[in-house]
């Protein structure tokens, strides 16, 4: 009799488990996502790379290029040329020579800045994107500016074209404003503006170049 009761109990338990398993429903739909949490604090800025401070110590030239591409799409691009070679090579890229003429004092300048980390020999490891100003500023006579540049203009549509041009004998009084040179601090500053006709630049359209020059130059010492 006891064995019969035990068998009946086991049968009842097994049957209950099978019934519960058979009656288990499908998983319901996932619930709605909870509200987005608050944005975390911005982390501290990392340290500048090795050599960064030295490469930007002589100031920058911010240039705006505005015109129309060869495929007739308008562009307006501003590029900060802020890198310069350092050490002995700096003399060739941040240069001033002050001297006297019969008409009074004059100053010859050459300033060239790159858009990325540079080496001075134009090798594959250096930067090909640069802007260069050369001019002699006379106290009395009219001065002229030479502009040389090599830069790729990259648009938001992932297309680019290159401006590799030389513009010489640009009239100083018509293209330069707010010119100043401090011989004590070696700070050379000026603003530059040029409209290049369509047949004188590689876009095939009128090109407007505006530059804000805020640089330091090394002053050449004449030996008697």
């Amino acid at each position: 009799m006891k064995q019969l009761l035990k068998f009946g109990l086991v049968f009842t338990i097994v049957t209950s488990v099978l019934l519960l398993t058979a009656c288990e429903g499908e998983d319901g739909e996932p619930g709605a996502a909870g509200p987005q949490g608050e944005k975390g604090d911005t982390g501290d800025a990392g340290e500048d790379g090795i050599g960064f401070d030295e490469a930007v110590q002589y100031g920058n030239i911010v240039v705006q290029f505005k015109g129309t591409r060869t495929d007739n799409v308008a562009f307006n691009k501003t590029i900060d040329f802020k890198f310069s070679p350092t050490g002995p090579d700096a003399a060739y890229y941040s240069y001033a020579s002050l001297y006297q003429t019969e008409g009074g004092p004059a100053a010859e300048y050459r300033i060239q800045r790159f858009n990325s980390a540079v080496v001075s020999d134009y090798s594959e490891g250096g930067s090909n994107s640069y802007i260069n100003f050369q001019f002699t500023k006379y106290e009395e006579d009219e001065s002229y500016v030479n502009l040389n540049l090599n830069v790729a203009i990259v648009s938001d549509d992932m297309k680019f074209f290159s401006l590799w041009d030389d513009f010489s004998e640009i009239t100083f009084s018509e293209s330069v404003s707010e010119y100043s040179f401090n011989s004590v601090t070696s700070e050379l500053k000026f603003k530059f503006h040029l409209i290049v006709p369509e047949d004188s630049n590689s876009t095939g359209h009128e090109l407007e170049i505006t530059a804000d020059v805020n640089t330091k130059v090394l002053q050449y010492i004449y030996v008697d």
Side-chain angles (χ1 to χ4, degrees):
M1 185 59 134
K2 290 182 179 180
Q3 290 181 347
L4 183 61
L5 290 173
K6 185 183 292 184
F7 176 78
L9 181 60
V10 172
F11 179 79
T12 301
I13 293 173
V14 173
T15 302
S16 299
V17 172
L18 292 174
L19 289 173
L20 290 173
T21 303
C23 294
E24 184 178 350
E26 297 178 357
D27 293 337
E29 294 292 332
Q36 183 176 353
E38 296 182 0
K39 184 177 180 181
D41 296 333
T42 302
D44 296 333
E47 296 181 358
D48 292 331
I50 297 175
F52 177 86
D53 292 339
E54 291 80 4
V56 300
Q57 65 181 313
Y58 297 118
N60 65 334
I61 303 174
V62 178
V63 187
Q64 180 187 36
F65 300 94
K66 188 176 181 181
T68 304
R69 304 186 320 200
T70 55
D71 58 355
N72 296 318
V73 175
F75 67 91
N76 188 344
K77 191 74 171 181
T78 299
I79 300 176
D80 187 358
F81 296 87
K82 59 184 178 182
F83 296 99
S84 174
T86 59
D89 290 325
Y92 299 99
Y93 296 90
S94 302
Y95 171 90
S97 178
L98 311 181
Y99 56 94
Q100 291 288 330
T101 69
E102 292 182 357
E108 178 185 349
Y109 301 104
R110 179 188 179 190
I111 49 173
Q112 182 165 330
R113 295 293 179 270
F114 296 83
N115 184 43
S116 59
V118 302
V119 293
S120 61
D121 59 0
Y122 298 96
S123 71
E124 293 181 359
S127 172
N128 289 320
S129 182
Y130 66 83
I131 187 166
N132 177 296
F133 285 100
Q134 295 186 61
F135 62 93
T136 299
K137 181 68 175 67
Y138 298 101
E139 186 173 274
E140 300 294 338
D141 298 335
E142 180 64 271
S143 302
Y144 297 92
V145 181
N146 296 326
L147 168 62
N148 173 250
L149 59 90
N150 181 21
V151 61
I153 303 297
V154 181
S155 301
D156 293 337
D157 60 2
M158 302 303 292
K159 296 181 180 179
F160 82 95
F161 66 94
S162 296
L163 290 173
W164 192 357
D165 292 297
D166 294 302
F167 307 107
S168 58
E169 298 297 314
I170 305 167
T171 305
F172 187 94
S173 59
E174 296 177 358
S175 60
V176 175
S177 63
E178 301 181 36
Y179 160 83
S180 67
F181 175 66
N182 187 321
S183 60
V184 176
T185 63
S186 286
E187 292 176 303
L188 171 64
K189 300 180 180 180
F190 62 89
K191 296 187 183 301
F192 176 85
H193 182 254
L194 178 67
I195 300 293
V196 185
E198 60 182 23
D199 58 351
S200 298
N201 74 88
S202 54
T203 67
H205 300 274
E206 186 176 87
L207 173 65
E208 181 177 7
I209 302 174
T210 305
D212 186 358
V213 180
N214 186 0
T215 59
K216 289 185 176 181
V217 294
L218 305 179
Q219 300 181 51
Y220 180 72
I221 300 175
Y222 284 97
V223 179
D224 295 332

